[in-house]
Amino acid sequence: MSEDEEARAWLIALRTPGLGAGGLREALAGADGRIDAALAWLRRRAAELDASAAAWLEQPDEAQLATDLAWLAEPGHRLWRCTEADFPPLLENIPQPPAALFVAGDAGLLLRPQVAIVGARRATQAGLAIARDFAQTLARAGFVVTSGMADGIDGAAHAAVLDAGAPTIAVVGTGPDRVYPRKHHALARRIVEQGALVSGFPPGTSARPHHFPRRNRIIAGLALGTLVIEAGLQSGSLITARQAGEQGREVFAVPGSIHNPQAHGCHRLIRDGARLVETPEEVAEVLVPLARELGCELARRLGVGESSAVRGAADTAGWRGDPQYQALLDALGHDPAALDVLCERTGQAPAELSSMLLMLELEGVVEGLPGNRYQRLPG
């Protein structure tokens, strides 16, 4: 199949009414991961599907598919499929993982260690200030801040990271071409330019209440841990935190005044076992070892094997005497360099370099910059 034919087949499957990620993954599992075979299998079983699904599989809307393909053809847009080797490994370990993600911006950011920062839409000024402080500090520590681009805490965290010149990831409950809330059009543009906007829904999908729990599952699934800053007892942020806990991820909560209704959800999380944190350094301390494990897992997934990158991820003290790490640092020089440039300079594969750069970033030797670029830090 050509790339366009494969993309078209994926879009047909993803848009099949009622199929869902689980149904598509089941079809792919029975077809050795080939989307054309999975689609053929679904068509053979069309009688077992509901009428709308059968009708779509028999005669998909060509105008809709053309619109989807036009979106994918734009620079920086990607349909990231679960059959690809570099599909975010953390998502594979959650209940009901997505079958594909629509990404606008730097998709490579999804492979970096992330921390989710979520909270109340109607946050207090104190809560917004806390979100900005935590977001910028964690970004400087090498973590990509991920959130849902909602009003309040989410938006404050995204904007603070962007203002600091670092990348951020927004996972949205609409199609990747829609912005919700509408007031965040400018923020969404900045995120795409400097980070990544991610959706589990195809282009044109509008905001609907039942989409947001699905979005929250992806936010929690991408991140090593979820931090909640202000949340009422009915806040959707508690759904994200609960899903993170169910996925075996770390959950952090910032306490507040007993007189602030927006603190009551955080207090409940703490009573239920979330880590009480008062500084961003407390979050980083817990997540850094997990980030190193993620580097090992990513290297294994991409077939790097027992390389120096993997050894360095398991034992960061070992990188200092490793000639491959020294060659990478020499290749970095004193000016920012993109990953593909570093591949040319060192002769090493992108997967191995990504794992090595992750270790150096966590050690404070290298800084990740927008556009999948890296810079050696002084010292």
Side-chain angles (χ1 to χ4, degrees):
M1 299 178 74
S2 69
E3 176 62 26
D4 282 349
E5 289 172 334
E6 185 171 3
R8 184 178 183 279
W10 270 92
L11 290 164
I12 291 172
L14 289 167
R15 283 194 173 274
T16 300
L19 180 63
L24 178 50
R25 279 177 169 266
E26 180 185 356
L28 287 165
D32 296 324
R34 291 175 47 214
I35 188 61
D36 55 341
L39 204 54
W41 182 77
L42 287 170
R43 284 171 170 151
R44 289 195 299 270
R45 298 186 58 189
E48 302 174 25
L49 304 173
D50 64 32
S52 59
W56 168 263
L57 288 168
E58 181 179 351
Q59 189 171 0
D61 184 336
E62 294 298 334
Q64 179 66 75
L65 294 176
T67 300
D68 292 345
L69 289 168
W71 184 88
L72 285 175
E74 294 183 25
H77 290 185
R78 178 178 181 180
L79 175 60
W80 208 345
R81 304 139 194 177
C82 66
T83 52
E84 296 180 84
D86 62 345
F87 192 74
L90 287 178
L91 283 183
E92 292 292 350
N93 299 323
I94 70 172
Q96 301 176 328
L101 296 172
F102 293 85
V103 184
D106 185 357
L109 292 172
L110 275 70
L111 298 178
R112 290 176 57 182
Q114 299 166 52
V115 56
I117 297 181
V118 297
R121 286 176 169 82
R122 296 181 179 178
T124 66
Q125 289 302 311
L128 295 174
I130 292 170
R132 288 189 287 266
D133 175 47
F134 272 74
Q136 290 189 344
T137 302
L138 289 167
R140 286 194 294 268
F143 293 95
V144 176
V145 171
T146 299
S147 195
M149 211 172 71
D151 205 2
I153 297 296
D154 291 27
H158 287 308
V161 172
L162 294 170
D163 290 344
T168 184
I169 296 171
V171 184
V172 298
T174 65
D177 57 339
R178 299 290 184 93
V179 175
Y180 180 85
R182 292 182 179 179
K183 64 182 289 186
H184 280 169
H185 272 279
L187 177 61
R189 285 194 296 271
R190 292 182 69 196
I191 290 171
V192 172
E193 292 169 359
Q194 197 168 318
L197 188 146
V198 181
S199 176
F201 303 98
T205 304
S206 58
R208 298 172 186 169
H210 63 278
H211 289 174
F212 292 94
R214 293 171 60 183
R215 174 206 65 174
N216 296 346
R217 185 174 72 248
I218 295 175
I219 292 173
L222 284 170
L224 295 168
T226 293
L227 168 67
V228 183
I229 301 172
E230 289 197 339
L233 292 175
Q234 303 302 319
S235 173
S237 302
L238 301 186
I239 298 176
T240 309
R242 174 176 55 78
Q243 291 174 332
E246 291 172 351
Q247 295 167 5
R249 309 294 163 78
E250 294 288 343
V251 179
F252 308 91
V254 176
S257 168
I258 61 172
H259 303 295
N260 177 10
Q262 299 290 21
H264 294 172
C266 292
H267 295 166
R268 173 181 287 179
L269 288 174
I270 293 167
R271 286 196 298 271
D272 291 343
R275 292 178 184 264
L276 186 158
V277 291
E278 297 174 311
T279 67
E281 288 78 12
E282 293 173 301
V283 177
E285 183 180 2
V286 173
L287 295 186
V288 163
L290 301 179
R292 292 169 180 152
E293 292 177 13
L294 176 61
C296 292
E297 172 61 21
L298 179 60
R300 284 193 294 268
R301 254 182 94 92
L302 297 178
V304 175
E306 282 300 318
S307 64
S308 61
V310 177
R311 292 194 303 273
D315 178 12
T316 55
W319 70 265
R320 297 184 185 278
D322 192 302
Q324 286 187 299
Y325 275 91
Q326 188 57 53
L328 173 55
L329 291 172
D330 292 342
L332 272 169
H334 300 287
D335 298 315
L339 181 62
D340 56 351
V341 173
L342 294 173
C343 290
E344 292 177 7
R345 292 177 180 175
T346 64
Q348 297 189 63
E352 182 153 1
L353 281 185
S354 294
S355 183
M356 294 167 68
L357 286 163
L358 169 61
M359 296 307 108
L360 293 173
E361 192 169 356
L362 291 172
E363 290 290 312
V365 178
V366 166
E367 179 183 12
L369 302 174
N372 212 17
R373 296 179 304 133
Y374 297 87
Q375 183 169 19
R376 186 171 180 176
L377 295 173

